[in-house]
Amino acid sequence: MSSRPTVQTPADPRALPMTLPLLMEKKRLGDPLVMVTAYDYPSARAAQSAAVDLVLVGDSAATTVLGHSATTPVELDEMLMLARAVRRGLSTPLLIGDLPFGSYEVSDEQAITTAMRMVKEAGCEAVKLEGGGEASVRRARAIIGAGIPVMGHVGLTPQTATALGGWKAQGRSASAARKIAAEALALQEAGCFALVFEAIPSAVTTELMTLLEIPVIGIGAGPATDGQVLVFHDLLGIRDGLGARFVKRYANLQQEMNNGVGAYAEDVRARRYPGPEHGYSIDPAELAELRNGLRS
Ligand code: KIV
């Protein structure tokens, strides 16, 4: 049995809402942070039932639920609709709304307005934005200044994947890793409460972790981060194909769904569904009266 201290929780740990101080406390104690994406009420209920710490309504919704081939097309109004559904399914995890491409880059005013909509209209408690360059850091600082907590995101940033040379690991040279370090430190200095590290070599992550005081959640960044995040559809296999090498698949729900809908279609075609047990009854006297009435 481990003698490592854990965060004090009430009898039912699921009853404890996640807060920013609690996140920092968990980091201090070395308690791994669990984050998952969600896009609707059922995925939120699954996240809640696992008592995860953080839920992200990711702009990965563009690919996972809206069928786009990149994250850039998803609109703010679409993200708000999804986030509202997730909000209804959660009680304890911290809910973070991803700011979609084009909704925060233009000006600090645009970034604050978008972040406020995520909070006011969808009930998000924090927002996430991508990139650690000068402009992203400025936007993060502006949103934080308006009172909304911001999670940063460095390494592979899918919204600007084309500019990064495609969907591939980042920080694989000393100079590229130093750039990620500088971005992470700038976002921390701007007041971000946490960072996502995406697709960064594990050994680089280990080095960068020694520089950072805020919690870091990794996805394809190795085991040294304070926590991990996976995309709901990737970890449950609700997709065709395998996805990125860092994904561990815990179920194959796409196959299950295909099987289920296929079996239903076969039953209907073979007139096996509906059976008598799926129908409603009517009092025979009422039926007789109906028949007479219809005949006359
Ligand atoms: O949109 C998303 O799902 C994300 C996670 C991969 C962190 O940004």
Side-chain angles (χ1 to χ4, degrees):
M1 217 176 84
S2 164
S3 59
R4 195 162 54 78
T6 51
V7 174
Q8 286 301 307
T9 56
D12 177 4
R14 287 155 204 253
L16 191 70
M18 182 48 65
T19 61
L20 302 191
L22 191 52
L23 274 185
M24 283 304 290
E25 181 66 353
K26 284 191 138 202
K27 175 184 170 76
R28 191 182 68 76
L29 295 173
D31 264 356
L33 297 168
V34 184
M35 174 161 143
V36 69
T37 67
Y39 313 101
D40 56 13
Y41 183 77
S43 53
R45 294 309 296 158
Q48 180 64 56
S49 95
V52 306
D53 301 300
L54 305 146
V55 168
L56 172 71
V57 184
D59 67 349
S60 47
T63 56
T64 56
V65 297
L66 299 178
H68 296 292
S69 57
T71 59
T72 43
V74 67
E75 297 289 347
L76 176 59
D77 284 336
E78 292 172 321
M79 291 295 293
L80 288 166
M81 192 268 279
L82 300 176
R84 279 194 290 270
V86 171
R87 174 75 282 166
R88 291 179 205 117
L90 294 182
S91 50
T92 56
L94 193 82
L95 179 58
I96 303 160
D98 221 358
L99 303 188
F101 184 66
S103 73
Y104 62 97
E105 297 91 334
V106 175
S107 65
D108 286 354
E109 195 182 320
Q110 185 206 28
I112 294 170
T113 304
T114 300
M116 283 184 167
R117 289 192 68 192
M118 282 286 190
V119 172
K120 284 169 78 87
E121 297 177 31
C124 292
E125 286 145 326
V127 297
K128 178 171 84 55
L129 56 75
E130 291 191 8
E134 209 186 305
S136 294
V137 171
R138 209 178 319 127
R139 301 295 173 252
R141 193 175 280 116
I143 296 169
I144 294 161
I148 299 171
V150 174
M151 171 179 263
H153 181 159
V154 295
L156 174 58
T157 46
Q159 292 176 7
T160 46
T162 309
L164 293 174
W167 286 64
K168 56 183 196 183
Q170 302 294 307
R172 298 185 94 170
S173 68
S175 65
R178 270 200 305 275
K179 182 164 173 275
I180 295 175
E183 292 178 350
L185 285 169
L187 288 164
Q188 174 174 271
E189 195 272 328
C192 287
F193 73 94
L195 296 176
V196 167
F197 274 16
E198 179 164 355
I200 296 172
S202 308
V204 171
T205 300
T206 304
E207 299 302 319
L208 303 195
M209 287 305 293
T210 63
L211 308 173
L212 293 163
E213 286 158 18
I214 56 176
V216 177
I217 314 292
I219 175 164
T225 52
D226 300 298
Q228 298 292 328
V229 54
L230 276 179
V231 166
F232 188 83
H233 288 56
D234 287 344
L235 80 94
L236 292 178
I238 313 175
R239 56 171 296 149
D240 299 319
L242 286 174
R245 68 174 278 147
F246 54 74
V247 172
K248 181 169 176 185
R249 187 168 277 193
Y250 292 85
N252 191 355
L253 296 191
Q254 186 66 59
Q255 194 54 54
E256 284 287 304
M257 290 195 289
N258 295 353
N259 293 347
V261 178
Y264 159 69
E266 270 179 34
D267 271 4
V268 172
R269 289 184 186 121
R271 300 195 181 281
R272 279 192 300 267
Y273 174 82
E277 70 276 26
H278 302 118
Y280 297 97
S281 62
I282 181 171
D283 185 282
E286 294 293 333
L287 187 57
E289 186 184 326
L290 171 69
R291 282 183 181 139
N292 287 339
L294 291 179
R295 260 183 239 114
S296 58

